[in-house]
Amino acid sequence: MTLLAALNPPQREAAKYLDGPLLVLAGAGSGKTRVITHKIAYLIGECGYKPGSIAAITFTNKAAREMAERAAKLTSNVNTKGLIVTTFHSMGLRMLREDARFAELKPAFSILDSADAAGIVSEILKTTDKQEIRRAVSRISLWKNELKSPAAALAAAEDDNARVYAKIYDRYDATLRAYQAVDFDDLIRLPAELLDAHAALREKWQNRLRHILVDEYQDTNVAQYRLLQKLTGVRAAFTAVGDDDQAIYGWRGASADNLRQLRDDYPHLHVVKLEQNYRSTVRILKAANALIANNPKLFEKRLWSELGVGDPIQVLPAARDDEHEAESVVMRLLSHKFQHRTRWRDYAILYRGNYQARVFEQALRNEKVPYQLSGGQSFFDRTEIKDVIAYLRLIANGDDDPAFIRAVTTPKRGIGAATLEKLGQVAATLHVSLFEAVFSAAATAQIGERQLAPLTEFCHFINRFEARVTREPAGEVLNDLLQAIGYEAYLFDQDDERAAQTRWNNVLEFAAWIAKKGEEDEKNLLQLTQTIALITLLEGREDEEPDAVRLSTLHAAKGLEFGHVFLVGVEENILPHRDAVDEGRLEEERRLMYVGVTRAQRSLTLSHCARRKRARETVACEPSRFIDELGDDVRQPAQPGDAEAKAQGSDRLAALKAMLG
């Protein structure tokens, strides 16, 4: 019992319940990670489950890492080797690696990132129109998440437009098969389909995994739900933890209906509600409850807290325009920080869309305030890292054509576009990869000896490294590779010295990370290459959060908490977003606002503009309907005639400037 003594009664009930399917409705800040980690410890420590028979599945590497660390602390006196704490995509990768032949893949298949996928679609469409490519990619992704094959998508097409996209999907799928590659969506779709089709496979995985815990269950899509069903089988030994009030990924294929589906598919579903909030003050929760009460409810719940009443929620007077809004918010933040002697990292400025960040960055820079932008460029999206990864992917899988093209042309080797085009024609005629085509008689005949020589030399070079990767430490092989291709010299030829040095430092950091990861996880370069596609290195590079104000979209802020939150641009057409209102997705926008409100621990301030720049014109703006929905305990701005309040405001600003001076 001591293990669960730290939990409140509903948390304890959730941790101990083992009689079938369980849904834990965990309100914002109600300690859901705590429940999951204590349940893992309880299963291993008190119930005798083998660590390898438990899988906890979440959505981000960061959440998985945090959960694994907390579970390890709770089970410090027990050997937990084999415990699976992972993301849905990594779980799918693990299954596909083990059972690749069922999917007609070789174990060293490649994982294409979103840029590769867009490149293939761009080839199929013969266009570089980013918007058109994005539309096609997103359509394909949604079909895959719904477990629809190209044939099923074509059969269900309701108009010519959908038929065109379904044909693109068909060609995209065929291209991936030719490359022996999968995209992110396939990592979940393929395992779900394989378990459906092969009873022996289903039995193997169901026997191996005796209890599955799923975090952020409201964010699952059809394919993820099907995978969970197939993995748990008739025993249905799973714990789904989620909050229908925080389902904000409908546009990405997540289905809040999965909560309703659970109730229909599992009539004996046990439901535990976690309503005590350990994050926010009473006033913040009162406003959050009032707001979300406007959405129809699947399960009733009301958050409550013992953390005191707290400050009223402030709505700032309408700013003249976006620049004025940013200045007002930053001034208010500075004033609050001086009065309360807080740290920069206690503050967050949250907004609906990335485009809103620019004016706030400018205002923070003007006042020399350190800030950190969430959802900035990922370490792996940097050109130099993608160059190096292309080599690794090609060494792992010779059929990976996108990797071949990037590696063979970076650094330049005297292989021109005309030569590559001829090689492409040979490969297409023979139905083989570009790599294989280099060694064909047709290539010798059609390309000519002089042009073919550097290609053949390049392929032999890759083969020599392929022979080393399974035998030698990952870090050693990668360092030799970088030296052999002269990548450092190439960077300094390409760029001015400062930029080149920065890029080379990134490559060195990547190489050091690979070496460390290879040693820690006992993996060779081949195994690490597949994992790379699933990791955003930046997610875990900083052990200590920097002391900086956080700028973030509402979507990226989910799961985080801050002492003091500024929710900006709370206007009609922004939050709720105009498209969402037009398409009948108002409820999801309200949930997004709810997520924003419940990030705040001690204070919450809302801002909006009277006018805003749109393209070349300035348009009038209305405050969001959500402000009124927060209830009457919200401090609205003083009326224009309130001279006393105005005088107080300017006095405070003068005092603040004097302090800053």
Side-chain angles (χ1 to χ4, degrees):
M1 234 352 254
T2 49
L3 192 59
L4 305 182
L7 305 183
N8 68 32
Q11 288 175 336
R12 197 173 306 129
E13 181 190 350
K16 286 181 74 170
Y17 187 81
L18 294 175
D19 295 336
L22 169 69
L23 172 62
V24 181
L25 277 175
S30 64
K32 66 185 174 66
T33 308
R34 197 176 196 192
V35 168
I36 294 172
T37 49
H38 277 79
K39 184 154 194 167
I40 293 169
Y42 179 71
L43 288 168
I44 298 170
E46 310 258 328
C47 306
Y49 277 66
K50 288 194 182 75
S53 71
I54 300 168
I57 305 177
T58 182
F59 276 81
T60 65
N61 296 315
K62 191 167 174 243
R65 211 173 25 249
E66 186 189 322
M67 208 172 273
E69 283 164 8
R70 283 167 68 171
K73 274 196 192 112
L74 287 172
T75 51
S76 53
N77 53 349
V78 183
N79 179 9
T80 56
K81 197 168 168 55
L83 172 67
I84 303 167
V85 182
T86 186
T87 62
F88 266 107
H89 291 94
S90 299
M91 185 71 202
L93 173 60
R94 180 187 290 245
M95 295 169 74
L96 274 184
R97 259 202 205 122
E98 212 172 292
D99 298 308
R101 61 195 167 84
F102 286 94
E104 293 173 7
L105 288 167
K106 55 186 183 191
F109 59 85
S110 296
I111 300 169
L112 302 187
D113 65 16
S114 46
D116 296 316
I120 293 168
V121 169
S122 162
E123 275 291 296
I124 294 169
L125 287 171
K126 300 276 179 276
T127 180
T128 53
D129 178 348
K130 282 206 170 74
Q131 222 174 348
E132 191 46 62
I133 293 166
R134 206 177 296 128
R135 267 198 290 270
V137 167
S138 133
R139 196 76 184 253
I140 292 168
S141 174
L142 288 172
W143 273 323
K144 287 189 175 196
N145 289 337
E146 290 166 2
L147 295 177
K148 277 202 176 107
S149 65
L154 190 59
E158 63 283 351
D159 55 28
D160 286 348
N161 199 15
R163 271 188 287 280
V164 169
Y165 283 125
K167 284 175 182 157
I168 296 167
Y169 177 19
D170 191 40
R171 288 184 54 193
Y172 172 79
D173 216 39
T175 308
L176 256 58
R177 280 201 301 276
Y179 292 168
Q180 279 284 298
V182 300
D183 62 19
F184 284 160
D185 297 316
D186 289 330
L187 290 174
I188 292 158
R189 176 183 75 116
L190 289 173
E193 287 176 352
L194 293 178
L195 292 183
D196 215 9
H198 302 281
L201 214 54
R202 210 161 48 238
E203 216 164 289
K204 171 182 126 176
W205 284 98
Q206 286 175 4
N207 286 334
R208 185 181 300 180
L209 300 174
R210 311 302 285 183
H211 198 95
I212 296 182
L213 303 101
V214 180
D215 187 19
E216 302 287 8
Y217 177 77
Q218 76 283 349
D219 294 339
T220 54
N221 57 38
V222 172
Q224 286 158 336
Y225 179 52
R226 187 71 53 82
L227 184 61
L228 174 68
Q229 275 191 306
K230 296 294 167 196
L231 282 173
T232 52
V234 288
R235 265 203 330 274
F238 67 79
T239 301
V241 182
D243 180 5
D244 47 338
D245 292 333
Q246 294 186 71
I248 57 172
Y249 288 111
W251 52 278
R252 216 168 59 181
S255 170
D257 269 356
N258 280 353
L259 281 161
R260 190 174 290 113
Q261 198 67 46
L262 259 190
R263 235 179 13 188
D264 297 345
D265 291 345
Y266 300 97
H268 303 303
L269 180 72
H270 185 63
V271 180
V272 174
K273 295 179 192 179
L274 305 183
E275 295 171 297
Q276 181 173 0
N277 171 292
Y278 292 93
R279 175 186 299 157
S280 309
T281 61
V282 171
R283 273 188 165 129
I284 289 168
L285 294 183
K286 192 175 162 196
N289 285 331
L291 171 76
I292 207 67
N294 291 283
N295 271 3
K297 300 294 256 186
L298 200 56
F299 301 94
E300 275 304 326
K301 71 175 185 314
R302 277 188 84 73
L303 296 181
W304 59 276
S305 155
E306 292 177 339
L307 298 176
V309 179
D311 301 338
I313 292 170
Q314 304 277 349
V315 180
L316 299 185
R320 285 191 306 277
D321 55 26
D322 17 16
E323 281 172 16
H324 179 225
E325 179 187 30
E327 284 162 19
S328 310
V329 164
V330 171
M331 274 310 173
R332 178 68 68 123
L333 189 153
L334 284 168
S335 160
H336 190 281
K337 183 177 189 299
F338 278 109
Q339 281 176 1
H340 297 87
R341 304 197 179 283
T342 44
R343 298 164 305 179
W344 294 118
R345 62 201 269 192
D346 295 329
Y347 296 88
I349 298 173
L350 308 181
Y351 35 80
R352 173 69 176 80
N354 272 314
Y355 68 92
Q356 291 167 269
R358 194 186 55 79
V359 284
F360 286 94
E361 284 192 75
Q362 191 61 56
L364 289 164
R365 276 202 299 268
N366 290 347
E367 300 299 334
K368 302 194 171 35
V369 173
Y371 67 87
Q372 185 190 18
L373 198 60
S374 276
Q377 189 192 35
S378 150
F379 191 75
F380 283 117
D381 286 338
R382 293 166 199 258
T383 310
E384 59 274 20
I385 303 298
K386 289 192 113 159
D387 288 344
V388 178
I389 289 172
Y391 277 88
L392 302 185
R393 275 174 36 186
L394 188 60
I395 290 167
N397 170 17
D399 294 327
D400 189 336
D401 281 2
F404 179 91
I405 291 164
R406 186 162 193 145
V408 81
T409 54
T410 316
K412 297 267 181 285
R413 293 185 167 73
I415 297 167
T419 306
L420 281 174
E421 203 169 313
K422 282 184 196 162
L423 180 65
Q425 286 159 359
V426 172
T429 312
L430 298 176
H431 299 294
V432 295
S433 66
L434 294 169
F435 194 97
E436 207 175 315
V438 170
F439 296 104
S440 67
T444 314
Q446 287 177 42
I447 295 174
E449 213 168 303
R450 205 163 57 83
Q451 274 97 344
L452 196 60
L455 281 169
T456 317
E457 192 185 319
F458 172 74
C459 292
H460 284 312
F461 168 78
I462 293 292
N463 283 336
R464 283 197 297 279
F465 271 92
E466 189 195 350
R468 290 178 58 186
V469 287
T470 50
R471 296 199 306 265
E472 298 175 37
E476 216 170 282
V477 180
L478 180 53
N479 283 323
D480 289 355
L481 175 75
L482 290 168
Q483 215 167 343
I485 63 174
Y487 194 71
E488 182 181 9
Y490 161 75
L491 286 179
F492 280 89
D493 287 346
Q494 292 284 101
D495 248 326
D496 65 70
E497 192 163 341
R498 230 176 110 190
Q501 191 59 56
T502 303
R503 293 175 66 186
W504 178 239
N505 288 345
N506 286 337
V507 172
L508 291 177
E509 185 181 340
F510 175 65
W513 178 81
I514 284 279
K516 181 167 167 260
K517 198 99 177 111
E519 275 175 40
E520 281 176 3
D521 299 357
E522 293 173 7
K523 282 185 174 164
N524 61 41
L525 199 52
L526 211 64
Q527 295 162 317
L528 286 173
T529 299
Q530 279 186 326
T531 320
I532 286 168
L534 292 184
I535 298 170
T536 308
L537 194 58
L538 275 179
E539 270 193 347
R541 283 200 311 161
E542 301 192 20
D543 299 330
E544 189 60 28
E545 283 279 302
D547 188 21
V549 172
R550 179 73 71 102
L551 286 180
S552 172
T553 62
L554 288 165
H555 283 100
K558 186 159 159 273
L560 303 177
E561 56 186 29
F562 307 94
H564 310 283
V565 168
F566 289 86
L567 195 45
V568 301
V570 190
E571 292 153 32
E572 288 296 309
N573 297 332
I574 293 183
L575 181 65
H577 194 281
R578 186 197 292 115
D579 295 351
V581 176
D582 292 347
E583 292 161 19
R585 289 187 285 114
L586 180 64
E587 287 170 22
E588 183 159 322
E589 291 293 297
R590 189 176 280 115
R591 293 195 289 265
L592 197 53
M593 174 81 175
Y594 175 82
V595 164
V597 170
T598 53
R599 295 315 89 200
Q601 294 169 306
R602 292 190 291 289
S603 81
L604 174 65
T605 306
L606 312 180
S607 69
H608 58 93
C609 293
R611 307 183 72 72
R612 198 175 272 280
K613 289 192 198 85
R614 281 248 169 81
R616 290 220 171 91
E617 51 176 359
T618 305
V619 296
C621 306
E622 287 289 316
S624 167
R625 66 191 80 184
F626 295 152
I627 294 177
D628 283 340
E629 291 181 4
L630 292 169
D632 44 17
D633 195 18
V634 172
R635 186 167 288 172
Q636 296 278 6
Q639 293 312 305
D642 193 341
E644 192 187 342
K646 271 176 135 171
Q648 276 179 351
S650 50
D651 286 352
R652 198 167 68 231
L653 198 58
L656 177 63
K657 286 196 163 154
M659 283 165 84
L660 284 170

